[in-house]
């Protein structure tokens, strides 16, 4: 690969608020691994790709919506590894493809559009068997890498920030695969999950499936009040916060995932919900391409 997924900087934020509250906040910049491809997605794909390269499967088939960071990451990773890839996209083919889907095609992914009602069966075995018949022998990766192998890959993220004494690791949560990976590591660091979907009540069941039950419940805290109305929903307040993060810390975020994470973390700090002396690490999971769908001029970066 022309980049190293195991190399991303940790940056400590400097702010009066943090000095006042006597704690530190650092950011693991997975967004700097690649300009388009989300950092955490490459980790989640790691073991799938390794298995595909070792096996007869030279084609990967996966799923996503028109703005899916997972689809772009898969398209990119397959190109880098000389694997063929097929993206099953939710919904009828639109007149103009989203920037995300254009990027997928640019990386050589073949797209197949399926009606929403059919797509929502994607976990259904008959549907998957049908796709495998249609496309030949291929390795199927669930949407968002939601699979124990995806969590095992996400667990590798911790290697980038080991032995730095962090007391809390915080991440935005979609499928919960990344947070499950953080919990797979056998240590006592607290893990904070900020769901970006509204009413996500099954995080614990998801983690149970993803880790095979190998996790400690008391390490996890879920902050479920920061979804800003639901998946990919936003408010002027969230966009203003993103611009402030940029002005004060030169930290670019996306409105679907990382902006909600940082908003939650700063809100908790203001409300004295972290003990003095905490050393907080936030995962910047990337995903900046999602901002392409915002009207021009919404953001300062
Ligand atoms: C997919 C994604 C997440 C969520 O990760 P999960 O493992 O699905 O919980 C977080 N941040 C970004 C930028 C993403 O693209």
């Amino acid at each position: 690969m022309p980049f190293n997924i195991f190399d991303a900087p940790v940056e400590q934020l400097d702010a009066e608020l943090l000095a006042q509250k006597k704690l530190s906040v650092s950011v693991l910049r997975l967004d700097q691994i690649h300009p388009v491809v989300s950092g955490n997605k490459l980790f989640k794909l790691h073991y799938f790709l390794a298995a595909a390269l070792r096996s007869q499967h030279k084609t990967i088939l996966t799923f996503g919506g028109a703005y899916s960071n997972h689809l772009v990451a898969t398209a990119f990773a397959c190109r880098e590894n000389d694997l063929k890839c097929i993206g099953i996209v939710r919904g009828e083919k639109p007149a103009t493809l989203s920037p995300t889907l254009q990027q997928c095609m640019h990386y050589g992914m073949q797209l197949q559009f399926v009606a929403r009602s059919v797509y929502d069966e994607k976990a259904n075995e008959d549907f998957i068997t049908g796709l495998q018949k249609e496309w030949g022998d291929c390795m199927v990766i669930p949407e968002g890498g939601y699979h124990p192998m995806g969590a095992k890959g996400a667990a590798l993220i911790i290697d980038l920030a080991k032995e730095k004494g962090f007391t809390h690791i915080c991440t935005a949560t979609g499928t919960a695969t990344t947070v499950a990976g953080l919990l797979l590591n056998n240590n006592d660091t607290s893990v904070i999950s900020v769901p970006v979907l509204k009413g996500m009540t099954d995080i614990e069941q998801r983690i149970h499936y993803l880790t095979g039950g190998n996790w400690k419940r008391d390490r996890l805290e879920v902050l479920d009040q920061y979804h800003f109305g639901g998946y990919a929903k936003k408010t002027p307040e969230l966009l203003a916060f993103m611009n402030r993060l940029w002005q004060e810390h030169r930290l670019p975020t996306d409105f679907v995932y990382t902006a909600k994470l940082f908003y939650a973390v700063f809100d908790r700090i203001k409300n004295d919900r972290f003990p003095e002396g905490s050393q907080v690490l936030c995962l910047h999971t990337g995903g900046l391409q999602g901002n392409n769908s915002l009207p021009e001029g919404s953001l300062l970066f």
Side-chain angles (χ1 to χ4, degrees), residues 234-301:
K234 57 189 181 301
T235 63
E237 186 189 359
L238 187 67
L239 295 184
F241 173 76
M242 290 166 74
N243 282 331
R244 276 205 306 282
L245 267 186
W246 174 251
Q247 283 175 315
E248 289 168 21
H249 301 291
R250 287 289 165 240
L251 193 62
T253 49
D254 78 294
F255 71 92
V256 182
Y257 292 104
T258 53
K260 294 177 184 180
L261 167 71
F262 284 102
Y263 192 101
V265 169
F266 274 95
D267 204 42
R268 300 281 287 182
I269 293 171
K270 282 186 203 133
N271 295 321
D272 296 311
R273 303 295 294 275
F274 285 104
E276 267 186 22
S278 294
Q279 289 183 263
V280 180
L281 180 69
C282 296
L283 302 188
H284 192 314
T285 37
L288 297 170
Q289 58 100 15
N291 289 340
N292 288 334
S293 67
L294 292 173
E296 278 271 340
S298 306
L299 297 174
L300 300 171
F301 53 94

Side-chain angles (χ1 to χ4, degrees), residues 12-25 248-249 266 269-270 272:
Q12 191 173 335
L13 301 186
D14 186 18
E16 223 169 90
L17 174 73
L18 304 178
Q20 239 175 50
K21 304 281 187 186
K22 300 196 173 58
L23 45 82
S24 77
V25 174
E248 289 168 21
H249 301 291
F266 274 95
I269 293 171
K270 282 186 203 133
D272 296 311

Side-chain angles (χ1 to χ4, degrees), residues 181-256:
L182 300 178
L183 288 161
L184 267 179
N185 284 278
N186 200 9
N187 61 42
D188 290 324
T189 317
S190 297
V191 173
I192 294 183
S193 154
V194 179
V196 301
L197 295 96
K198 190 174 172 173
M200 198 176 170
T201 53
D202 61 347
I203 292 189
E204 289 187 28
Q205 286 100 298
R206 285 172 170 264
I207 294 172
H208 198 77
Y209 159 68
L210 291 162
T211 59
N214 175 25
W215 68 296
K216 291 193 223 142
R217 174 64 192 87
D218 60 0
R219 287 182 60 201
L220 174 69
E221 193 178 351
V222 178
L223 309 183
D224 58 7
Q225 300 300 314
Y226 298 96
H227 53 71
F228 287 83
Y231 185 72
K233 295 279 192 322
K234 57 189 181 301
T235 63
E237 186 189 359
L238 187 67
L239 295 184
F241 173 76
M242 290 166 74
N243 282 331
R244 276 205 306 282
L245 267 186
W246 174 251
Q247 283 175 315
E248 289 168 21
H249 301 291
R250 287 289 165 240
L251 193 62
T253 49
D254 78 294
F255 71 92
V256 182

